[in-house]
Amino acid sequence: MSFKIASSPHQRLQRSTAQIMRLVMLACVPGIIVQAALLGYGVLIQLVLAIATALVSEAIIMLLRKKAVWPRLRDNSAMLTAVLLAIAIPPYAPWWLVIIGTAFAIIIVKQLYGGLGNNLFNPAMAAYVLLLISFPVQMTQWLPPASLQTFALTPIDAVCAVFSQFSCSGYSLQQLQSTVDGITMATPLDTLRTDLSRGITLSESMQRPVFYAFAGSGWLWVNLAYLIGGLVLIQQKVISWRIPAAVIISLAIFSGIGSLAAPDTLASPLFHLFSGGTMLAAFFIATDPVSASTTNNGRLWYGVLIGLLVYLIRTYGGYPDAYAFAVLIANMAVPLIDYYTRPRTYGHQQPRPKND
């Protein structure tokens, strides 16, 4: 057994930016497969459109900036942004929606601030908020999960729906949104919010077919799939455990307190954790290395802030799934968080009190 003396850095496991981005995309695969199987094949079409738009947008900006194109495309950062946006929007959103959002994410949010490593906000979430505010109808047209669909859609139907808003059989998107019992579909989070605003109790609302077990038909399995992918990223040391742990635990605590205080009007922690994009946001979006906090303690506070904001916006705000807004607000707080949580410089001596 030999003792090796070497100069810093002493980090043995070194990965390039391209490798990290590739691993994150691979970790998304289980969630994408489950999402396509249960919520619609349209997500695969959105992925193709988003990735193509991101690569073209990145290449055009690099040419305008008179920089090498291929090295920027090879770092996979633009592709990852496209993937995260594509899986966050409704699978059958019109084709132009994902193109506008992806181009905005790459050109405005990323490149306008200097490219990779300089963006203040998470590009995918900034684009998501732009689309949600500008096109609220298209961004809320979620179809029922496969088990509740009146008309089963094939992959060919998905292509027709994305590009024409009609299936190949001639059914409109509004007709496809109707469940087998004739009720127009909304996400579990939106359904619960609407029911509570009408005076329906939580227990009565949870009897709807859209609520499978405690989280929502389809959404429970999608969140579990992204949870598995996120745990793989932690095991591979691609992301730190602090941010996702802080997001999940804080959301569970705040929703638990609310549920105990008002059990008939506020949902349980399990519902909040496994509905909507909770696991996707906690492991794949909040952990963005550029726009997230960089100190160990700061990552914990950053995650807690996101968890708190998600609960407050979901409960009292105007948007059912609040992760995009929560992440962007937390991005604005990152400089302050990092300033007050920066570690002490090695060898730094605490100043003595003035009365000594």
Side-chain angles (χ1 to χ4, degrees), residues 72-84:
R72 299 301 186 276
L73 297 183
R74 284 177 54 188
D75 65 18
N76 295 325
S77 61
M79 190 178 299
L80 177 58
T81 297
V83 169
L84 294 177

Side-chain angles (χ1 to χ4, degrees), residues 2-7 9-15:
S2 59
F3 179 75
K4 184 178 180 180
I5 299 177
S7 61
H10 303 289
Q11 178 74 20
R12 296 295 183 88
L13 183 61
Q14 295 182 352
R15 293 191 179 103

Side-chain angles (χ1 to χ4, degrees), residues 145-310:
S147 60
L148 298 177
Q149 287 181 2
T150 305
F151 310 101
L153 295 180
T154 66
I156 301 300
D157 286 321
V159 176
C160 295
V162 170
F163 286 97
S164 69
Q165 299 295 281
F166 287 86
S167 70
C168 296
S169 303
Y171 295 108
S172 67
L173 201 62
Q174 287 72 26
Q175 291 174 307
L176 297 174
Q177 282 184 278
S178 299
T179 61
V180 291
D181 56 3
I183 298 176
T184 302
M185 175 65 183
T187 63
L189 287 167
D190 195 30
T191 300
L192 180 62
R193 172 188 290 273
T194 303
D195 286 349
L196 293 177
S197 66
R198 294 175 177 175
I200 300 174
T201 64
L202 177 64
S203 57
E204 291 173 340
S205 179
M206 295 296 287
Q207 301 302 316
R208 293 185 181 275
V210 67
F211 295 106
Y212 172 80
F214 50 80
S217 182
W219 293 95
L220 170 63
W221 303 110
V222 170
N223 274 281
L224 287 174
Y226 283 118
L227 171 61
I228 293 172
L231 293 177
V232 171
L233 291 181
I234 293 177
Q235 189 273 330
Q236 291 294 316
K237 300 186 185 302
V238 176
I239 62 174
S240 170
W241 60 268
R242 291 174 175 82
I243 291 178
V247 171
I248 293 171
I249 294 173
S250 62
L251 179 57
I253 292 174
F254 294 129
S255 58
I257 295 172
S259 180
L260 290 174
D264 288 335
T265 56
L266 298 179
S268 68
L270 287 177
F271 177 80
H272 279 284
L273 292 179
F274 292 99
S275 291
T278 299
M279 296 301 168
L280 172 65
F283 288 96
F284 296 91
I285 294 173
T287 55
D288 175 29
V290 177
S291 57
S293 179
T294 57
T295 65
N296 287 337
N297 291 334
R299 287 168 178 162
L300 294 174
W301 287 110
Y302 174 78
V304 170
L305 177 60
I306 292 176
L308 174 61
L309 290 172
V310 166

